[in-house]
Amino acid sequence: MNVGDTLALKKSDLAMFFASLAHEMRLVAPKRRFGGDVIFDVVESPTQIAWDYGHDIYPPKRFVLPHYEDLFGYRADGEVRFEDLGEAPMQAIVGIRSCDVTAIRFQEKFFSSQIVDPYFKARSDNTVLFSLVCNTPPKKECFCICCDAGPYLDSGFDVELTDLGDRLLYRIGSEKGLKASEPGGHMLAPADGEDRAERKRIELEADSLFATEAYLAKAILFISADEVPDKIWEELGSTCFRCAACTNLCPVCTCYTVDDRREDDGSCVRCRSWDSCQYAGFTREASDHNPRPTFGSRVQRRFYHKASYQYITRDGRHGCVGCGRCVSACLTKLDLPSVVKRIRRSMEEYLQPLPSGEVRP
Amino acid sequence: MTLTAARPRNMWGVTDNPSPNLYIPMVAIVDEIIDETPDTKTFRLSFQDKEYAKTFDWEPGQFVEVTVFGAGEAPIGFASSPLEKSFFELTIVDRGKVTRAMHRLRKGDKVGIRGPLGNCWPLEEMKGRDVLIVSGGCGLAPLRPAILQMLADRASYGDFWLLYGARTPADRDFVYDLESWAARDDMHLLQTVDVPDDKWNDNVGVVTILFDKMRLNASTAVALICGPPIMIKFATIGLQRMGFTDDRIVMSLERYMKCGVGKCGHCCVNHVYLCTEGPVFTYKDLLALPELKL
Amino acid sequence: MVDTPTICGFCSCGCALYVEPTGRRVAALCPSANHPVSTGRLCIKGWNATPALAGEHRLRTPLVRKADKLETASWEEAISVTVSALKQAEPAKIGVIGSAKTTNEECYQLARLARDVIGTPNVDCGCRFYDASLIPGLLETTGVPGSQVGMDAITAAGSILVVGANVMDQLPHVGSRIQDAVENGCKVVAVDPRTSRLAPQAAMFLNPKPGTDLAWLRAMAKSIIERRLYADGVPEMQGFEELVSSLDGVDAGRLAEQCGLSAESIAEAAELLASNPRTIVMFGLGVMQQAESTATIKALADIALLLGGKVMPLRGQNNAQGACDMGLLPDMLAGYAPLPDGAAPGLDAARMLRACATGEIEALLIFGENVALSAPSTQETIDALGKARFVAVADMYLTETAQLADVVFPACSFLEKDGTFTNIERRVQRVRKVIDPPGQARSDLEITAGLASALGSSISADPAEVMAEIAANVPLYSGVSYEALEESWGSPWPCDGAAPRLAAIPPGILPGGAAEPVADPDFPMRMIAGRINFHQQTGTMACRSPILAREYPKSFVEMNEADAEALKIRAGNLVNISTKSGTLTRLLLLSEAVPRGCVHVPHFFGGDSPNALVSYQPDPISGVPAYKACAVKVEAAG
């Protein structure tokens, strides 16, 4: 087998294939919970994998950037002693979608640009992504196609699976993917012309099935040039609940806070946990001065980070993969597609010449 | 020549250090504590690992993340001369959870240090030019390393003006240095306070009132500014009026920080991470950052 | 692994969330997507629930006061000291104050401990300091001592009247559904002295003077009746005639003006609501903590009934509904059953606290309620507790109340025990243990059973057993079982049996039927006590989450710029807000949302509470102290 190979795996062999992988590493996959909730979690057996999952809320980014992560512990009574608490279990995230794969690759680039974050790197180095192509959009909120992050990828996955009915198309995308294919390698057969044709047909059809759209180009233009008036940001911010679900559930977002916590045995642990630019306290200084004091300024911040050419240049792509989680999780209508649409509409109105014929400055 | 904020020689996380990883600090000991004002103390620190201390190399304008064990971490700028190898000083205002805990430390106590972080004042590019330093309140501390380094290489610089404004005479930092600088004949020190006391017989008013008393070559001089945001704003306007171009007005910005290595996102201003690409910027650099609403 | 769903213990929305334990901490947290309330979304408190509970200062052992200091003690000692003290007092001089945050099972057994084991009628819960006024107010009108509708009804409403409630900040799921409803064409009439963040959604936002709600509601009821805006069948409803005659002589326009509203605004609001049927009338603590809360609530219920609509009282705490359902009340048993024949009601919580000062109450058990901050007149409350012969407190942290106690029992958080909570929809939901409690902390249920046992009675400490007993004895809960709750999220208890009637709305107790009390020249401003989003009740939990505490690190008050100028106080300076009961010193900020003559004082920055300014003046019917619209003086602080 080689990187770049296109193979096929019978669905009847799926459980065995991943069982053999499970000897080398833990499996993380979509799991059904109470009442039909699906959450990416460690599975004890491949039979727990919910292959046909539609909506999942908690992004698998938590397996490379945990919600709460202990960095190190220390004792400072007498000699100061540190204990690195970083963990990086060998893991395969199976059934992850193209949007989340794109997001994790984005995060890998971010966490190793200029200065390398050792905790993230250790976890992501030990993580293999077995992505699953979306033959149809899993939920109506999906818009990955507007963000160049799906429903299927040309690269970025370690292994990519496509459901072809009674079998999966199996594409090896990296060395890591190649190595992870070895334990079950005897169950993989070369793909034939029909497999590839079916995959092509799926690609063409999948592109046409989206219910949500986010035409980002104009928004990026206005946001990058700082041309969206404050009034529009304040209007958008006026309904925000400041719950930070958007940033928590966004597979691309990476901001975190760091706190020292006392343990029962007198030692301390420095822990990092997901933070959000949508909180007022995110930028408040000890003097009580807050550079982003209004809801509008914080909404503006989020969209600047997601959709400005300044960030696109830094990060290699814009900060949204169209997974649709912010659409489901926002208590109001500050999801990316809605905001992009409102910016476009407001700007169209705003840029209309005034009745006198003058153009607004 | 267009001035841009300088890249430092050393940056924690980029250059090597013996710490297990870039989040785990090195240990330093509090050698001395100097009371500057009722709410400000200068801590003189030296690394526990003396070999590391020898290789520890930083530049004026940079900062460290100080861990007060049990309380947390806070970003504090270097405040001493970088030529001094056996110790470094941090001047700390008692303001938040970590700095309050720092103020309760005693000689011999240990802290954690990650650094040097951030970029530096462009002292190399400033050689051959007149120098103007405008500082307010605790803003003198991040400028002190630059002042000390330039004064140690006095011949490389032109006329040297230091303007310092504080709320009251008792709120001035580094009074001992101000006295020795006032006595030097190779630099001009102008001071002012908002509210004088009985013994004060110098200027009264905001620091920008001192601008009229300066004589320097505004078409080539470089100004370094550090202090409260409102002071920076009015100083900049005053300097522009005098003929300083935007690339020769250099300032140190402040933001809430956590990781210090450009990852956690707290210190971002638009697309710039203050901890790795700042905190020193020219006014020209800042014009590209609409969030500042300049 | 993220296996076990449980219910959030902050507000009454009752969202379901998954928590992944790691040792005694939490490594991950996310909402349930298919839960009918959370629908995949949580608020800032829900997302940051866990650090709030895992704070390093959690109580780990019982404490017993020795030589005026609280010292670590064993459970045996703590219980034996408590039981000894209880035995020394006559039952009628013992008081039990429970919590609106503990589980139904805990509330039920605490009420049993009080009535059956100790034999005291003095039983109450924290609702006395918040929303207990809705019980008499609604029992006598809609017949349902809680919300008649669930979350889904909000989205489908044709019009919503929201009075005295900052829904966007306090009950985000309600606020979110109001936003959805407005998008579907719903018309919102919001009424609050202070313009809240609901303003962008409101078709009309009325700002009456604080404390005048009873008056403008009379005006609105009169307007509806005079102009025949009521729904079909209303004149035939029980109580209609009494209502009409109680409004005799009311000039709706003039009364509106006395409340600080325009003469037409009330009529316009009534029209708007009447012409958009499927009306929901919502009201929050702005109403439930007023001087005449019960009467005001009846008036609000009348408006709903006149318009053929429903009532949704916005009670705040996660199990306020359940605590009252379980009979932690001095004048009713579980299920709102009347006391046995001849039995007189016991003292309510507010009375119990004051009775500590006179010796009428000698021993007090306080489970999970930080009365030192939630009761009014803080200094008076603290002094009274100090005078009581014996006080035992069960809580998670060493709260201001616990610091005054003789015995402190370390209690569990909602993540550390099994049980049920009843949310604002009357939905009984399963709370599941996810992590172990710290040290020797026990659930309130275990503590209650331990005390009962030491007093010679055996009551169950097994949540499933207790719920089976509740289901057998409380008709409202007859459909609840732990087996059923393994298959579904739970359902609201039935309320269709209730027969609604209209209540008379006589003029309030103020002389001459005035809309608001005569201004006191020494205390010329009115305090609008509110709450900012990140705190809950007294902040015992919320203030310990670094992210929640970071949102507003400094306590503040807000005033209108014109008032600040007139008083010559600059924003950013400290001000003293005082009444005869106490003084508060806080930072002043300016806000145009605060009307002239008022100062907005938000609750709870770890100990510094506007309740310190409020006296023990209770609503005559429900005994809930009048926290709102208190007259204050504001001046620059030294």
Side-chain angles (χ1 to χ4, degrees):
Chain A
M1 289 189 296
N2 289 306
V3 175
D5 278 357
T6 305
L7 307 160
L9 173 64
K10 292 207 273 267
K11 271 203 186 154
S12 49
D13 285 338
L14 253 186
M16 276 258 285
F17 181 88
F18 284 105
S20 56
L21 185 60
H23 291 307
E24 320 271 321
M25 56 186 76
R26 71 180 190 180
L27 299 181
V28 172
K31 230 169 146 183
R32 291 233 141 70
R33 304 280 77 181
F34 197 90
D37 284 331
V38 174
I39 300 176
F40 267 90
D41 206 354
V42 175
V43 294
E44 289 130 325
S45 139
T47 52
Q48 290 181 323
I49 301 176
W51 289 103
D52 57 344
Y53 75 108
H55 182 97
D56 79 284
I57 199 80
Y58 205 20
K61 79 172 174 179
R62 74 187 182 99
F63 289 97
V64 286
L65 182 65
H67 199 155
Y68 294 92
E69 184 175 22
D70 285 348
L71 302 179
F72 62 90
Y74 61 82
R75 267 193 185 286
D77 43 1
E79 266 316 297
V80 178
R81 294 172 310 289
F82 298 102
E83 186 195 346
D84 189 340
L85 297 174
E87 284 175 0
M90 294 290 302
Q91 58 191 6
I93 307 185
V94 179
I96 183 174
R97 299 205 166 104
S98 307
C99 51
D100 286 326
V101 170
T102 308
I104 290 181
R105 296 301 175 224
F106 176 102
Q107 291 188 337
E108 283 172 355
K109 183 158 191 247
F110 170 72
F111 277 111
S112 54
S113 64
Q114 190 186 16
I115 294 177
V116 179
D117 183 301
Y119 296 99
F120 186 92
K121 181 166 195 324
R123 281 182 195 270
S124 74
D125 280 352
N126 283 356
T127 304
V128 187
L129 301 179
F130 278 78
S131 76
L132 181 63
V133 162
C134 299
N135 294 16
T136 62
K139 52 189 197 286
K140 64 179 191 329
E141 295 90 349
C142 290
F143 58 102
C144 61
I145 196 168
C146 296
C147 297
D148 188 29
Y152 47 85
L153 298 174
D154 295 324
S155 65
F157 48 85
D158 295 312
V159 171
E160 188 198 56
L161 306 168
T162 313
D163 189 339
L164 300 181
D166 63 344
R167 66 215 184 282
L168 298 169
L169 197 70
Y170 187 106
R171 290 173 41 179
I172 302 181
S174 69
E175 284 298 330
K176 228 195 249 176
L178 178 63
K179 192 149 183 300
S181 307
E182 278 160 17
H186 53 283
M187 292 178 249
L188 298 168
D192 63 26
E194 216 182 283
D195 295 332
R196 292 170 202 275
E198 180 57 17
R199 161 71 192 232
K200 203 69 214 164
R201 193 197 63 72
I202 286 170
E203 281 181 17
L204 292 173
E205 194 180 332
D207 286 349
S208 64
L209 295 170
F210 286 83
T212 299
E213 69 219 7
Y215 298 130
L216 280 156
K218 266 258 155 56
I220 293 176
L221 225 57
F222 290 130
I223 289 170
S224 308
D226 191 41
E227 278 175 1
V228 182
D230 284 351
K231 184 168 94 74
I232 291 180
W233 291 119
E234 291 307 326
E235 223 174 86
L236 286 166
S238 70
T239 60
C240 176
F241 285 89
R242 208 179 342 187
C243 69
C246 48
T247 48
N248 281 346
L249 298 178
C250 175
V252 177
C253 278
T254 52
C255 288
Y256 58 88
T257 185
V258 183
D259 291 294
D260 285 10
R261 178 185 84 234
R262 249 181 238 282
E263 298 282 81
D264 287 346
D265 66 354
S267 66
C268 284
V269 171
R270 183 159 293 171
C271 170
R272 74 172 167 195
S273 52
W274 294 349
D275 201 347
S276 173
C277 57
Q278 301 302 286
Y279 292 130
F282 188 74
T283 47
R284 183 180 288 112
E285 297 161 28
S287 65
D288 216 34
H289 169 64
N290 190 347
R292 293 190 199 125
T294 64
F295 282 94
S297 62
R298 295 189 286 270
V299 176
Q300 180 178 22
R301 164 65 197 173
R302 175 168 155 240
F303 284 90
Y304 184 85
H305 203 156
K306 297 268 157 238
S308 66
Y309 82 76
Q310 290 89 337
Y311 266 106
I312 293 172
T313 316
R314 281 184 79 102
D315 299 325
R317 55 159 295 123
H318 62 270
C320 176
V321 293
C323 72
R325 289 190 182 91
C326 58
V327 184
S328 329
C330 181
L331 284 165
T332 181
K333 293 280 184 302
L334 286 172
D335 54 274
L336 189 133
S338 297
V339 173
V340 160
K341 187 185 268 186
R342 280 156 76 187
I343 288 177
R344 269 181 34 238
R345 296 257 165 89
S346 312
M347 291 306 292
E348 272 161 22
E349 204 184 288
Y350 184 77
L351 293 172
Q352 291 292 332
L354 295 165
S356 60
E358 278 174 71
V359 175
R360 261 177 257 258
Chain B
M1 172 202 164
T2 305
L3 211 60
T4 55
R7 307 300 315 147
R9 291 187 296 272
N10 257 349
M11 200 188 279
W12 176 272
V14 177
T15 36
D16 286 334
N17 66 71
S19 170
N21 72 51
L22 59 74
Y23 288 103
I24 297 181
M26 301 297 293
V27 180
I29 304 168
V30 177
D31 293 334
E32 197 73 55
I33 303 176
I34 302 136
D35 288 320
E36 303 285 354
T37 75
D39 64 359
T40 307
K41 291 186 183 172
T42 293
F43 292 81
R44 181 171 291 183
L45 303 162
S46 61
F47 285 106
Q48 192 172 267
D49 179 342
K50 296 303 168 204
E51 288 307 310
Y52 179 67
K54 287 190 197 139
T55 64
F56 188 63
D57 176 34
W58 57 274
E59 293 169 79
Q62 290 192 294
F63 67 99
V64 295
E65 283 273 356
V66 185
T67 292
V68 179
F69 293 113
E73 244 190 351
I76 311 283
F78 287 104
S80 50
S81 168
L83 305 168
E84 177 57 68
K85 288 296 174 197
S86 61
F87 64 81
F88 60 91
E89 288 172 343
L90 304 178
T91 301
I92 299 182
V93 181
D94 173 357
R95 228 186 233 155
K97 177 175 165 217
V98 176
T99 51
R100 185 156 311 136
M102 186 98 188
H103 270 234
R104 290 200 286 264
L105 294 179
R106 298 233 177 79
K107 261 168 76 157
D109 281 343
K110 303 198 176 103
V111 295
I113 298 284
R114 292 190 301 130
L117 297 166
N119 67 354
C120 50
W121 301 109
L123 301 184
E124 199 50 47
E125 288 93 324
M126 285 163 68
K127 285 183 175 169
R129 297 165 181 269
D130 288 351
V131 170
L132 169 61
I133 309 233
V134 184
S135 54
C138 55
L140 184 54
L143 285 164
R144 183 164 175 259
I147 297 168
L148 294 172
Q149 181 167 304
M150 286 191 281
L151 289 179
D153 183 19
R154 184 68 188 87
S156 295
Y157 299 90
D159 277 351
F160 198 106
W161 291 82
L162 169 53
L163 274 48
Y164 183 41
R167 213 176 53 84
T168 72
D171 288 314
R172 293 176 300 154
D173 291 333
F174 314 115
V175 172
Y176 39 89
D177 279 339
L178 291 169
E179 282 166 6
S180 71
W181 293 335
R184 289 175 76 121
D185 55 11
D186 61 352
M187 65 178 276
H188 310 275
L189 169 63
L190 299 180
Q191 297 187 62
T192 181
V193 295
D194 296 337
V195 181
D197 62 14
D198 301 329
K199 302 204 203 74
W200 188 257
N201 56 10
D202 209 325
N203 300 289
V204 174
V206 290
V207 76
T208 38
I209 63 158
L210 303 172
F211 282 12
D212 290 333
K213 305 186 187 218
M214 289 191 305
R215 279 171 313 284
L216 41 59
N217 188 347
S219 54
T220 55
V222 176
L224 306 184
I225 317 181
C226 191
I230 189 112
M231 186 216 89
I232 298 185
K233 175 178 169 175
F234 284 103
T236 304
I237 294 171
L239 292 173
Q240 285 170 326
R241 284 210 194 105
M242 281 174 64
F244 278 79
T245 51
D246 292 341
D247 65 315
R248 289 183 289 110
I249 300 173
V250 190
M251 52 196 70
S252 182
L253 291 193
E254 218 180 56
R255 278 289 186 277
Y256 180 56
M257 286 184 184
K258 275 285 181 183
C259 72
V261 290
K263 303 296 177 201
C264 74
H266 286 86
C267 70
C268 280
V269 176
N270 286 107
H271 54 283
V272 168
Y273 286 77
L274 248 68
C275 60
T276 51
E277 291 154 278
V280 177
F281 295 96
T282 66
Y283 189 74
K284 184 162 184 231
D285 296 332
L286 297 180
L287 291 172
L289 306 179
E291 234 192 298
L292 295 175
K293 299 200 189 299
L294 297 174
Chain C
M1 283 187 281
V2 184
D3 285 328
T4 319
T6 187
I7 301 296
C8 180
F10 278 96
C11 84
S12 61
C13 287
C15 294
L17 43 89
Y18 290 90
V19 165
E20 177 178 296
T22 168
R24 252 214 356 98
R25 293 182 311 99
V26 163
L29 183 150
C30 72
S32 160
N34 75 88
H35 183 262
V37 176
S38 55
T39 58
R41 309 172 298 176
L42 293 175
C43 77
I44 188 176
K45 291 196 288 276
W47 277 111
N48 295 292
T50 54
L53 307 173
E56 58 190 82
H57 300 294
R58 281 288 298 277
L59 290 171
R60 288 170 163 73
T61 68
L63 303 170
V64 171
R65 190 171 292 275
K66 296 174 181 160
D68 211 39
K69 252 191 82 190
L70 282 170
E71 309 272 0
T72 305
S74 67
W75 274 99
E76 287 80 41
E77 189 182 350
I79 292 191
S80 114
V81 166
T82 304
V83 160
S84 228
L86 290 175
K87 285 187 174 151
Q88 280 172 41
E90 299 163 37
K93 292 198 169 188
I94 298 175
V96 174
I97 300 178
S99 169
K101 305 197 78 59
T102 48
T103 64
N104 289 321
E105 295 77 359
E106 289 170 332
C107 293
Y108 188 79
Q109 295 296 63
L110 188 64
R112 279 192 63 193
L113 175 74
R115 293 197 171 97
D116 301 344
V117 179
I118 296 175
T120 173
N122 308 320
V123 184
D124 204 0
C125 68
C127 289
R128 192 64 45 195
F129 304 116
Y130 297 100
D131 52 33
S133 42
L134 69 81
I135 301 174
L138 294 180
L139 277 177
E140 290 172 36
T141 48
T142 63
V144 181
S147 175
Q148 290 178 290
V149 291
M151 294 287 187
D152 286 346
I154 302 175
T155 324
S159 56
I160 303 177
L161 173 65
V162 185
V163 183
N166 187 5
V167 280
M168 289 281 295
D169 284 352
Q170 297 322 313
L171 290 169
H173 276 278
V174 173
S176 171
R177 284 167 175 78
I178 292 178
Q179 286 184 2
D180 291 341
V182 168
E183 245 176 70
N184 292 338
C186 176
K187 300 288 178 250
V188 172
V189 174
V191 186
D192 197 314
R194 178 179 153 261
T195 304
S196 69
R197 296 190 71 225
L198 197 51
Q201 314 303 322
M204 287 183 74
F205 204 116
L206 304 178
N207 304 102
K209 295 186 198 165
T212 59
D213 295 302
L214 186 56
W216 68 258
L217 282 165
R218 299 186 78 220
M220 183 177 273
K222 181 76 177 188
S223 185
I224 292 173
I225 290 170
E226 260 176 355
R227 298 159 71 210
R228 296 180 194 275
L229 296 174
Y230 42 74
D232 292 334
V234 162
E236 288 72 49
M237 273 183 74
Q238 206 188 342
F240 184 74
E241 297 304 331
E242 289 88 338
L243 171 58
V244 171
S245 53
S246 70
L247 296 171
D248 250 349
V250 166
D251 175 338
R254 270 198 59 226
L255 193 50
E257 281 171 345
Q258 283 174 22
C259 300
L261 301 170
S262 77
E264 303 75 28
S265 57
I266 293 295
E268 212 185 297
E271 276 271 10
L272 192 58
L273 296 170
S275 53
N276 289 282
R278 281 189 333 274
T279 305
I280 301 181
V281 171
M282 298 181 179
F283 52 89
L285 291 185
V287 166
M288 297 192 269
Q289 285 183 325
Q290 270 196 44
E292 290 188 77
S293 43
T294 309
T296 312
I297 291 170
K298 285 191 199 173
L300 281 159
D302 278 349
I303 302 292
L305 292 170
L306 286 170
L307 297 174
K310 301 284 184 188
V311 174
M312 183 177 215
L314 300 176
R315 47 196 339 176
Q317 297 183 72
N318 57 307
N319 203 28
Q321 188 64 48
C324 297
D325 291 347
M326 293 295 107
L328 270 180
L329 300 165
D331 54 349
M332 288 180 214
L333 301 176
Y336 307 96
L339 295 175
D341 274 338
L347 298 175
D348 67 42
R351 288 216 179 87
M352 282 190 237
L353 290 171
R354 301 184 87 188
C356 290
T358 59
E360 211 185 320
I361 288 280
E362 291 179 351
L364 199 52
L365 296 182
I366 307 176
F367 274 47
E369 181 65 34
N370 194 4
V371 298
L373 292 188
S374 54
S377 201
T378 308
Q379 197 50 58
E380 194 187 333
T381 303
I382 290 175
D383 291 343
L385 284 170
K387 293 205 177 92
R389 175 116 64 75
F390 178 81
V391 176
V393 167
D395 216 309
M396 288 163 44
Y397 290 100
L398 196 66
T399 60
E400 289 78 1
T401 308
Q403 285 167 34
L404 303 168
D406 298 294
V407 172
V408 181
F409 298 115
C412 288
S413 74
F414 69 88
L415 291 179
E416 297 155 4
K417 58 191 176 183
D418 283 293
T420 56
F421 290 149
T422 306
N423 79 351
I424 194 177
E425 300 173 301
R426 307 184 325 277
R427 189 188 301 268
V428 184
Q429 310 194 92
R430 187 76 163 80
V431 175
R432 292 185 174 88
K433 178 175 173 180
V434 184
I435 55 180
D436 285 328
Q440 298 173 44
R442 294 184 186 174
S443 69
D444 288 52
L445 192 58
E446 287 167 318
I447 301 171
T448 303
L451 286 171
S453 167
L455 283 165
S457 289
S458 162
I459 65 178
S460 175
D462 177 85
E465 247 177 55
V466 177
M467 180 45 75
E469 200 185 310
I470 294 170
N473 291 316
V474 182
L476 292 177
Y477 280 61
S478 60
V480 181
S481 79
Y482 276 37
E483 291 80 41
L485 288 172
E486 286 306 300
E487 307 301 317
S488 85
W489 292 111
S491 317
W493 48 253
C495 71
D496 353 333
R501 12 183 257 276
L502 292 161
I505 319 178
I509 53 178
L510 294 172
E516 55 169 346
V518 174
D520 180 341
D522 291 332
F523 300 99
M525 301 198 74
R526 293 233 165 256
M527 174 169 81
I528 299 177
R531 186 186 314 284
I532 55 180
N533 159 326
F534 317 103
H535 298 172
Q536 182 77 13
Q537 275 69 57
T538 67
T540 300
M541 298 194 289
C543 286
R544 296 180 197 264
S545 152
I547 282 185
L548 294 175
R550 188 184 69 176
E551 285 304 278
Y552 283 100
K554 293 208 170 82
S555 64
F556 65 91
V557 297
E558 288 175 321
M559 267 170 57
N560 191 285
E561 188 165 4
D563 282 334
E565 254 178 57
L567 290 169
K568 299 204 187 353
I569 315 173
R570 287 178 50 203
N573 288 343
L574 290 176
V575 290
N576 286 335
I577 309 103
S578 51
T579 61
K580 295 189 186 107
S581 301
T583 302
L584 219 55
T585 305
R586 288 199 186 172
L587 204 64
L588 174 69
L589 299 178
L590 300 179
S591 167
E592 286 315 296
V594 179
R596 299 286 317 261
C598 298
V599 54
H600 173 224
V601 186
H603 269 50
F604 299 130
F605 291 86
D608 148 35
S609 152
N611 291 346
L613 306 178
V614 175
S615 69
Y616 266 96
Q617 205 177 312
D619 163 46
I621 301 168
S622 69
V624 174
Y627 290 98
K628 301 287 177 182
C630 150
V632 300
K633 175 171 61 173
V634 180
E635 43 196 8

